[in-house]
Amino acid sequence: MFVKDESCRLGLPAFKALGASWAVHRTLAERAANGEGQGPVTLVTATDGNHGRAVARMAHRLGQRAHVFVPQGVHPQAVAAIVAEQAEVTEVAGSYDEAVRVAAEAAAAPDAILVQDTGWAGYEQIPGWIVEGYSTLCAEIDEQLAADGVVDGPDLVSVPVGVGSLAQAVVTHYRSRPSERAPALLSVEPEAAPCVLESLTLGALVSVTTGETIMAGLNCGTPSSIAWPHLSGGLDAAVAVTDADSARAATDLAAAGVASGPCGAASLAGLRAVLTGVGAEERRRALGLGPSSVVVLLSTEGIAANPHAGADH
């Protein structure tokens, strides 16, 4: 078992900077190529914490402004971290989906650009660039496993899922090489926000009503429209886990030397849910797993990314 540790990506405590940096770069480059205004723009986004902070960091580094919308339930320390990146922060009285809606409205203002990590009809290019940025993580996994002697790649990859953009990158990476042995791919969500699991069960993209969870970055009610076709056709298994399972997994990862927040630890919690308990042997066979299998867990955030982690376990 290997853990892809994203607790310090580009100086931030989560993987989100990979997507935000590439999308902001492409957005500003296209704006310049089209001869649009030379002055600064406002990069607008909604976030449960990590994506907004990454967009704010990139905006500040590149001399742009940032306006970040956060839903109810985001920890004050996470909000403070975004403010510390010189961003304007607006708290929305509602869910993550509502914050996305409000951010999209705000981005209609002059010299404002929406940099959102979920797509919907008519808004697909920038989320696609974010997914491209995330694919860097998968290329690194290939290189790092090969350096450790695992030249055939993993047998299973466990991916925490919010709107599904990271999972889209993972599916695209591992399903784009038909000549090579493809791993089984497992998505993991909180029981409080199982939008991908519910969509897979029903066979169509649907929204769910979200509840409270310590897995704040995964607390999303609607899958990304551009991710959904990849998830429906590319995932081998999906599971939802409890806060208690995620907290226990984070504690066990810490004991093994990996500082993982609840979202990152969800990958271990989901793996345990699938590979143990009633029906585990059948599920192992379905996923093609045995005693010599290689599993990669994506730990998408460190403890510093989610202040809830310190408060709850």
Side-chain angles (χ1 to χ4, degrees):
M1 187 180 296
F2 294 84
V3 180
K4 182 61 171 161
D5 181 358
E6 290 292 312
S7 61
C8 189
R9 171 65 70 172
L10 300 176
L12 293 173
F15 78 102
K16 293 286 191 178
L18 278 174
S21 61
W22 181 239
V24 170
H25 164 74
R26 288 296 304 270
T27 298
L28 296 179
E30 282 223 346
R31 184 177 170 83
N34 293 337
E36 297 181 46
Q38 300 301 308
V41 297
T42 299
L43 304 178
V44 181
T45 195
T47 187
D48 281 320
N50 294 322
H51 170 71
R53 186 178 178 187
V55 170
R57 170 71 63 90
M58 291 307 303
H60 184 59
R61 287 184 61 175
L62 297 174
Q64 311 298 323
R65 298 182 294 264
H67 189 178
V68 180
F69 292 81
V70 299
Q72 277 182 327
V74 174
H75 197 282
Q77 287 177 237
V79 174
I82 300 170
V83 172
E85 303 289 350
Q86 313 299 311
E88 178 185 355
V89 176
T90 298
E91 298 190 45
V92 176
S95 67
Y96 171 80
D97 285 17
E98 176 65 9
V100 171
R101 187 189 67 78
V102 175
E105 288 181 353
D111 294 321
I113 301 171
L114 185 67
V115 184
Q116 198 58 57
D117 52 349
T118 185
W120 54 85
Y123 183 73
E124 295 162 339
Q125 185 177 56
I126 289 175
W129 288 335
I130 288 174
V131 172
E132 286 180 5
Y134 292 163
S135 68
T136 302
L137 186 154
C138 301
E140 290 176 349
I141 290 173
D142 289 344
E143 294 172 2
Q144 291 170 312
L145 287 179
D148 227 44
V150 185
V151 294
D152 291 331
D155 297 288
L156 182 142
V157 180
S158 181
V159 191
V161 170
V163 297
S165 294
L166 174 61
Q168 178 186 347
V170 171
V171 169
T172 301
H173 180 80
Y174 287 109
R175 299 291 182 254
S176 63
R177 300 171 294 181
S179 62
E180 298 182 29
R181 183 174 63 94
L185 302 178
L186 167 67
S187 71
V188 186
E189 298 171 282
E191 285 192 346
C195 63
V196 168
L197 180 57
E198 188 70 13
S199 297
L200 290 169
T201 302
L202 296 174
L205 191 158
V206 297
S207 297
V208 301
T209 301
T210 58
E212 293 186 8
T213 173
I214 61 172
M215 291 170 272
L218 308 181
N219 195 9
C220 306
T222 305
S224 170
S225 67
I226 65 169
W228 169 243
H230 299 273
L231 305 186
S232 62
L235 289 172
D236 296 281
V239 67
V241 298
T242 66
D243 280 4
D245 289 339
S246 174
R248 182 165 69 92
T251 298
D252 293 340
L253 284 169
V258 179
S260 183
C263 295
S267 56
L268 174 57
L271 183 73
R272 283 174 166 164
V274 169
L275 300 189
T276 62
V278 178
E281 288 304 316
E282 182 181 349
R283 293 192 293 272
R284 287 171 184 258
R285 282 196 299 273
L287 294 170
L289 301 178
S292 61
S293 294
V294 174
V295 174
V296 172
L297 307 177
L298 302 190
S299 179
T300 49
E301 66 175 12
I303 293 172
N306 190 336
H308 283 290
D312 291 273
H313 59 275

